[in-house]
């Protein structure tokens, strides 16, 4: 995050050209001097205060924060809170955000509507559910929305296999 702040300040406050930052300053920061590295660190330095705080204190990963930076603040808030509450690692954060982005594009709903439609808002407020089970249930509910036919087949399989026992 500190490297991102440095790159952002060099660019915005001091008006240093991007090519000069890439060639002269990125190597000093211990970053590979490339356009891609420059863009990544520039975006990290320009994160909104809520995402910056979540990266520093709530366990939000930088890659996830960069993906959420394009979302509206009201849409990313429940996702950031869920990631912080469930203490998700790299793969789980990626899986959650991937699934939400797929649902947003396929249904046209925003995150708040997805949360309501899938019942995740009620699940998070439910104190009877253990915090370790929240993530699994959230993913399950989002998968049911994303893949309704597959979910129906899986449910039918569970019913048939339990009747065999």
């Amino acid at each position: 995050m500190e490297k991102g702040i440095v790159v952002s300040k060099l660019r915005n406050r001091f008006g240093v050209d991007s090519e000069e930052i890439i060639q002269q300053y990125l190597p000093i920061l211990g970053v590979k001097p490339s356009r891609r590295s420059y863009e990544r660190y520039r975006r990290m330095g320009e994160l909104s205060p809520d995402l910056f705080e979540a990266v520093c204190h709530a366990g939000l990963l930088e890659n996830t924060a960069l993906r959420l930076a394009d979302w509206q603040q009201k849409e990313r808030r429940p996702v950031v809170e869920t990631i912080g509450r469930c203490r998700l690692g790299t793969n789980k954060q990626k899986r959650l955000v991937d699934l939400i982005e797929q649902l947003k594009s396929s249904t046209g709903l925003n995150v708040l509507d997805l949360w309501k439609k899938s019942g995740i808002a009620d699940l998070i407020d439910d104190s009877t559910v253990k915090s370790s089970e929240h993530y699994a249930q959230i993913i399950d509910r989002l998968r049911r929305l994303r893949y309704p036919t597959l979910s129906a087949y899986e449910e039918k399989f569970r019913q048939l296999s339990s009747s065999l026992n």
Side-chain angles (χ1 to χ4, degrees), residues 89-103:
T90 306
N91 293 335
K92 289 182 178 180
Q93 284 186 31
K94 182 180 181 324
R95 184 175 181 201
L96 178 65
V97 174
D98 284 346
L99 196 51
I100 292 169
E101 286 179 339
Q102 290 172 7
L103 279 165

Side-chain angles (χ1 to χ4, degrees), residues 2-48:
E2 291 171 350
K3 292 175 184 179
I5 292 169
V6 168
V7 169
S8 180
K9 284 185 178 180
L10 283 170
R11 178 77 176 138
N12 298 328
R13 188 175 291 174
F14 300 111
V16 179
D17 182 59
S18 59
E19 286 303 317
E20 187 176 349
I21 293 172
I22 292 169
Q23 298 304 320
Q24 291 184 357
Y25 293 100
L26 288 184
I28 294 171
L29 295 171
V31 177
K32 181 181 176 185
S34 68
R35 171 67 57 187
R36 187 174 185 189
S37 296
Y38 165 75
E39 286 299 324
R40 175 182 170 78
Y41 284 102
R42 183 193 56 77
R43 288 189 64 215
M44 283 176 28
E46 295 172 357
L47 286 177
S48 64

Side-chain angles (χ1 to χ4, degrees), residues 138-155:
I138 289 169
I139 290 296
D140 183 55
R141 291 178 185 205
L142 290 174
R143 281 187 69 242
R144 287 175 194 244
L145 276 180
R146 176 67 178 108
Y147 307 107
T149 307
L150 176 62
S151 298
Y153 286 137
E154 288 174 341
E155 183 60 33

